[in-house]
Amino acid sequence: MHLPKLHGAHVPHRKNTAGMRPERMPTPKMVSIPMSMHIGAPAEPLVKPGDQVKVGQLIAKAGGFVSSPVHASVSGKVKRIDDVLSGMGRFMKAIVIEADPEQETLEGLAPPVVTDYQSFVDAVRESGVVGLGGAGFPTAVKLSVKDLSKVEAVIINGAECEPYVTSDTRTMLDDGDLIFEGIELLKKYMQVKRVVIGIEKNKPQCVAEMQSRAAKTQGVEVMALPALYPQGGEKVLIYNTIGRVVPEGKLPLDAGAIVLNCTTLAAIARYIKTGMPLVEKVVTVDGSAVREPKNVIAPIGTPVSDLFEFCGGFKSEPKKVLYGGPMMGIAMPDLSCPVMKNTNAVLAFDERDATLPEPTACIRCGSCVDACPLNLMPTEIESAYEKRDVERLKKLKANLCMECGCCAYACPAKRMLVQTNKLAKGLLAADAAAKRAEAERKEKEKARKEAAK
Amino acid sequence: MTSLKASVSPHIRGSRTTHRIMLDVIIALMPTLVASVILFGFRALLLTAISAAACVAFEYIWEKLMKKPITVADLSAVVTGILIAFNVPASMPIWELLVGDLVAIVAVKMLFGGIGCNFVNPALVGRVVMFLSFTADMTNYSYPAAAVDALSSATPLALIASGSIGWEHFMDILCGVHGGVLGETCALTLITGGLYLCAREVIKPIIPLAYIGSTLLFSWIFGSPDPVLSIFSGGLMLGAIYMATDYVTTPFTNLGKLIFGLGCGLLTSLMRVFANSAGAVSFSILLMNLVVPYINELTMPKPFGGVTEK
């Protein structure tokens, strides 16, 4: 079967830290662990100021089905439950813990009892694991499948297509055992027949490592994918590994696939093996302002300033600091922002790298159209948005945009295409909401008239 | 602590800029300028320099008067200026050339909102306006001193159409040793520049190939005496490689570009075989410019996984 190739952008790799084994940083004095480190309802605190907690202890329970529990990443005393600044610049509830000098793990931490599919999904829920590639979608929800026969393949995402970020690279090199234990769990409890590990070609050592392990395992294939951003985008990865297209408004499962980030899978396997929930992350610390870029093992909730300090501090004043890679990362408002479950990198850039070129007029060269992996027309979306033309935006399928940034990267006029696209999606959502409200109002009106008769 | 910058991703940008693209086009046009000076003398350089400077000046003055940001640094006006000069003969009076520049920059480009907003190619409109206003001067072709007798009077297109020259003059035609406007005669340097633009990924070869290929095919179908020679003469190479590939006035997608190129080829052959050969390329491209929005609409790429609402 011949599949047309998807477009993308040839972004620089800058995997400076790929060869660096993660180093454990000293326990931070204070951590602030947010209740919203996942998509869905915030977790609900179970502790109050003054409580003593230990590493691995449940401190907040899931706030609903689409939510995730949160565990203490250090042992110490709960100082307060407070609003802290999130990466998005909003305030979010967080449990602030002052760490003890001696770090104690919760006694009685034992591997969960997993016997069947249901107990497996329960264990995943209790582990606090969410999509660690960046999305933060609760993994237990993703694995809650009504009809397991629909799962034709599980795709392990080791693409790691963002520049700089190497935490998944390290998982594949250092925690290969856990990834393959995770694969065995999926095979055993979810009857998964086919597992595909997708890795960008620019990580030959990871491809080789995974291949040598896959050779000893039934039903696991490793695919070396082109080093073309955004290879790790869910829809792109599904298409490039198993050749399926996820239709608009549907889930990967509707295309027969579940995609799990390799670090997510390793975290699940670690919990089921040891009983230790997700309390720490390997975080790539890099960027032009950082003195000694490193991969750092950091407790969740650690202020990013502590990570930079552990990496020798700044060699120049940081002007922009990101959660995640430069293509889709979020610029954080303040260095006090904490490491979250889905933080795979924190990057600090100096003045030069923090300054984006000024946008100039669109020359309609079509570079953005050529770059879009989803075959959208960013320049047309931009002009439709400027006219607030909702019908045209619908026709252009602005809603499909995954904000990967290829268009803005490719644009010679340096237009803020992703920003406009986000706004366009907001406009579409607002329009849909207004239409729904209008329909509801009419419905009520009708009911009222009926009743009056 | 609050000195951190916040912006929407992506936080890095590619190295391509409008300035660099325009600079590449200028670089690609340089071999042809050199050829033109060799063929037609120093006046070729003079006219080109004046035209480029005038276009920049008109854009600058307009933007100053209108209190708009000055955009001349993007070099697009320089490209327009060179292309307009390449479309006039060496004997063209300077003031007439300036009229062409003025029309191109002010009437076609700036009045519609500047770079990216014009719906037809400014240089081509400049050319057509000069052609219609100063027909005698625009067709008062100069002849290189080195031209052989057969090629020292009419343009090769006219000669081919009347069957009076043939393949024995192929090398002369390829190298531009014949009558014509400044930048159209030397097919060799025009193609070299085109290859450079393709290598630099400034243009895709689709439009030039479709345009030139279809001109060849349709000219043959319509019974042109020598279709192969005719594609190397007249304004076709200059038009197909440098004017029909203008971003603003050509379709986005590869299929759209193919349709555009084929349309240009069809119109050019029709005009060359059944009407007056002079200006065929300009009018063909301009006519196709006008239908670009429709081509774009018809060839809109299918969004990946997109579902059409019923």
Side-chain angles (χ1 to χ4, degrees):
Chain A
M1 183 171 53
H2 175 75
L3 296 170
K5 278 202 183 72
L6 297 187
H7 304 173
H10 289 279
V11 300
H13 300 311
R14 299 186 188 153
K15 303 280 191 186
N16 313 317
T17 53
M20 300 179 189
R21 270 182 173 277
E23 292 174 39
R24 188 170 293 277
M25 65 179 285
T27 308
K29 283 194 196 72
M30 193 92 87
V31 295
S32 51
I33 306 176
M35 297 295 98
S36 294
M37 299 187 281
H38 49 261
I39 290 172
E44 293 166 4
L46 297 171
V47 291
K48 53 187 189 305
D51 286 359
Q52 284 289 331
V53 294
K54 289 182 177 166
V55 178
Q57 184 178 333
L58 183 71
I59 54 171
K61 61 174 181 162
F65 178 67
V66 182
S67 184
S68 181
V70 175
H71 302 82
S73 58
V74 295
S75 73
K77 193 170 168 190
V78 177
K79 290 293 281 182
R80 55 183 189 274
I81 297 170
D82 209 358
D83 282 339
V84 299
L85 204 52
S86 80
M88 302 299 283
R90 297 196 195 100
F91 283 94
M92 58 182 174
K93 198 178 272 181
I95 297 175
V96 181
I97 304 169
E98 190 179 39
D100 287 339
E102 62 284 337
Q103 285 294 301
E104 286 175 63
T105 303
L106 185 70
E107 51 285 327
L109 214 56
V113 181
V114 176
T115 52
D116 57 1
Y117 171 60
Q118 195 49 52
S119 55
F120 172 64
V121 174
D122 288 343
V124 173
R125 183 169 296 118
E126 284 151 21
S127 70
V129 172
V130 300
L132 301 182
F137 188 75
T139 308
V141 180
K142 199 185 246 184
L143 296 182
S144 298
V145 181
K146 283 207 182 73
D147 178 6
L148 279 177
S149 66
K150 274 178 81 181
V151 185
E152 290 170 50
V154 169
I155 300 159
I156 312 294
N157 190 348
E160 202 165 54
C161 52
E162 276 271 9
Y164 293 98
V165 188
T166 62
S167 49
D168 287 345
T169 299
R170 291 320 310 184
T171 302
M172 287 183 271
L173 296 179
D174 306 329
D175 289 328
D177 285 344
L178 287 175
I179 293 176
F180 276 78
E181 282 164 28
I183 290 172
E184 288 308 323
L185 291 169
L186 295 173
K187 282 159 72 173
K188 191 166 170 193
Y189 298 115
M190 296 184 70
Q191 289 83 51
V192 174
K193 300 280 180 302
R194 185 178 178 205
V195 176
V196 183
I197 305 176
I199 306 167
E200 260 194 13
K201 269 194 189 110
N202 64 352
K203 291 177 273 294
Q205 71 282 32
C206 295
V207 175
E209 173 69 26
M210 291 293 108
Q211 257 164 356
S212 75
R213 288 171 185 273
K216 295 174 223 142
T217 321
Q218 193 98 43
V220 181
E221 39 191 312
V222 177
M223 291 180 80
L225 305 167
L228 180 70
Y229 179 88
Q231 217 51 234
E234 196 166 56
K235 285 182 178 182
V236 175
L237 187 69
I238 293 170
Y239 182 78
N240 285 346
T241 50
I242 63 169
R244 297 286 179 80
V245 178
V246 181
E248 181 180 353
K250 301 276 179 167
L251 296 169
L253 197 57
D254 296 300
I258 287 180
V259 180
L260 286 175
N261 171 273
C262 59
T263 305
T264 306
L265 186 61
I268 293 171
R270 179 179 285 122
Y271 176 69
I272 289 175
K273 188 179 180 182
T274 66
M276 179 54 85
L278 183 66
V279 293
E280 59 184 24
K281 274 304 295 285
V282 172
V283 180
T284 300
V285 183
D286 200 349
S288 52
V290 178
R291 197 178 301 277
E292 297 163 32
K294 274 179 189 164
N295 279 310
V296 179
I297 304 173
I300 286 163
T302 307
V304 298
S305 52
D306 285 15
L307 271 70
F308 290 120
E309 206 172 295
F310 181 65
C311 294
F314 298 113
K315 60 182 177 191
S316 52
E317 198 192 339
K319 288 291 183 183
K320 190 188 259 183
V321 180
L322 304 180
Y323 274 125
M327 290 302 286
M328 287 189 78
I330 294 164
M332 60 180 86
D334 198 295
L335 285 173
S336 68
C337 287
V339 169
M340 305 210 281
K341 286 180 181 176
N342 59 348
T343 305
N344 51 17
V346 290
L347 307 174
F349 293 108
D350 60 18
E351 178 76 48
R352 194 175 145 265
D353 288 344
T355 312
L356 288 176
E358 276 301 306
T360 55
C362 170
I363 55 170
R364 300 180 69 75
C365 63
S367 296
C368 55
V369 180
D370 276 345
C372 181
L374 302 183
N375 271 346
L376 303 177
M377 301 181 92
T379 175
E380 294 285 292
I381 292 175
E382 187 184 40
S383 56
Y385 175 74
E386 279 162 6
K387 296 181 198 112
R388 304 293 187 272
D389 187 342
V390 171
E391 289 313 309
R392 177 104 180 123
L393 285 174
K394 279 187 192 162
K395 192 173 176 223
L396 292 165
K397 295 280 177 206
N399 56 311
L400 283 178
C401 170
M402 56 179 173
E403 300 166 20
C404 66
C406 287
C407 52
Y409 183 84
C411 178
K414 315 295 168 193
R415 312 241 359 124
M416 309 283 273
L417 294 167
V418 174
Q419 179 165 315
T420 313
N421 236 323
K422 276 174 182 268
L423 292 167
K425 290 200 306 192
L427 184 66
L428 285 179
D431 178 71
K435 288 223 170 90
R436 266 199 310 276
E438 177 66 18
E440 234 166 71
R441 196 186 60 78
K442 277 193 182 146
E443 198 67 25
K444 272 189 192 151
E445 189 92 331
K446 211 172 134 195
R448 201 171 54 80
K449 276 186 185 155
E450 295 280 320
K453 274 181 201 166
Chain B
M1 283 300 274
T2 49
S3 63
L4 294 181
K5 290 185 190 182
S7 65
V8 172
S9 60
H11 306 282
I12 50 171
R13 297 297 154 96
S15 55
R16 271 166 71 96
T17 61
T18 305
H19 174 89
R20 180 66 223 192
I21 289 169
M22 295 302 161
L23 185 62
D24 274 331
V25 178
I26 295 169
I27 292 171
L29 288 166
M30 283 305 109
T32 304
L33 179 61
V34 171
S36 185
V37 173
I38 293 171
L39 293 167
F40 300 108
F42 173 71
R43 205 155 191 279
L45 181 63
L46 181 75
L47 288 179
T48 308
I50 288 176
S51 180
C55 283
V56 171
F58 290 139
E59 185 166 316
Y60 180 85
I61 293 166
W62 177 265
E63 286 173 339
K64 269 278 167 202
L65 288 176
M66 294 296 131
K67 299 188 169 56
K68 290 192 180 293
I70 306 297
T71 57
V72 293
D74 67 22
L75 299 180
S76 62
V78 177
V79 172
T80 304
I82 296 176
L83 286 175
I84 292 173
F86 277 16
N87 275 292
V88 303
S91 57
M92 188 78 178
I94 288 167
W95 76 270
E96 290 178 0
L97 175 65
L98 293 178
V99 170
D101 292 336
L102 186 71
V103 168
I105 293 296
V106 176
V108 186
K109 188 180 178 188
M110 302 319 287
L111 277 181
F112 285 90
I115 188 169
C117 298
N118 49 292
F119 62 98
V120 284
N121 187 318
L124 278 177
V125 177
R127 188 213 131 109
V128 166
V129 166
M130 288 188 291
F131 184 72
L132 298 177
S133 314
F134 321 113
T135 315
D137 286 331
M138 279 292 280
T139 50
N140 180 18
Y141 301 125
S142 322
Y143 298 93
V148 292
D149 283 352
L151 284 166
S152 61
S153 51
T155 63
L157 262 188
L159 294 167
I160 295 162
S162 63
S164 49
I165 61 159
W167 278 88
E168 69 276 13
H169 297 301
F170 179 68
M171 279 316 288
D172 288 331
I173 288 174
L174 189 66
C175 297
V177 193
H178 57 76
V181 296
L182 292 182
E184 71 175 13
T185 67
C186 188
L188 203 61
T189 53
L190 288 168
I191 293 170
T192 309
L195 292 176
Y196 171 78
L197 290 180
C198 291
R200 293 276 309 160
E201 292 182 358
V202 170
I203 63 168
K204 291 183 184 173
I206 303 171
I207 290 178
L209 290 180
Y211 190 174
I212 295 166
S214 62
T215 304
L216 185 66
L217 178 73
F218 290 123
S219 304
W220 177 72
I221 292 173
F222 299 147
S224 159
D226 203 328
V228 181
L229 273 187
S230 71
I231 65 163
F232 287 103
S233 36
L236 182 60
M237 286 292 165
L238 180 64
I241 300 172
Y242 302 92
M243 317 270 243
T245 52
D246 170 41
Y247 292 143
V248 190
T249 53
T250 54
F252 289 128
T253 63
N254 291 346
L255 179 63
K257 287 179 164 67
L258 182 70
I259 294 170
F260 181 88
L262 295 178
C264 286
L266 177 65
L267 290 173
T268 300
S269 327
L270 279 172
M271 288 185 217
R272 277 187 172 182
V273 177
F274 299 113
N276 190 346
S277 66
V281 169
S282 306
F283 286 113
S284 305
I285 299 173
L286 284 178
L287 282 170
M288 289 308 290
N289 283 166
L290 296 179
V291 298
V292 164
Y294 304 99
I295 298 177
N296 271 339
E297 216 52 30
L298 284 172
T299 57
M300 196 187 270
K302 191 183 168 296
F304 184 73
V307 175
T308 323
E309 266 180 58
K310 295 269 153 55

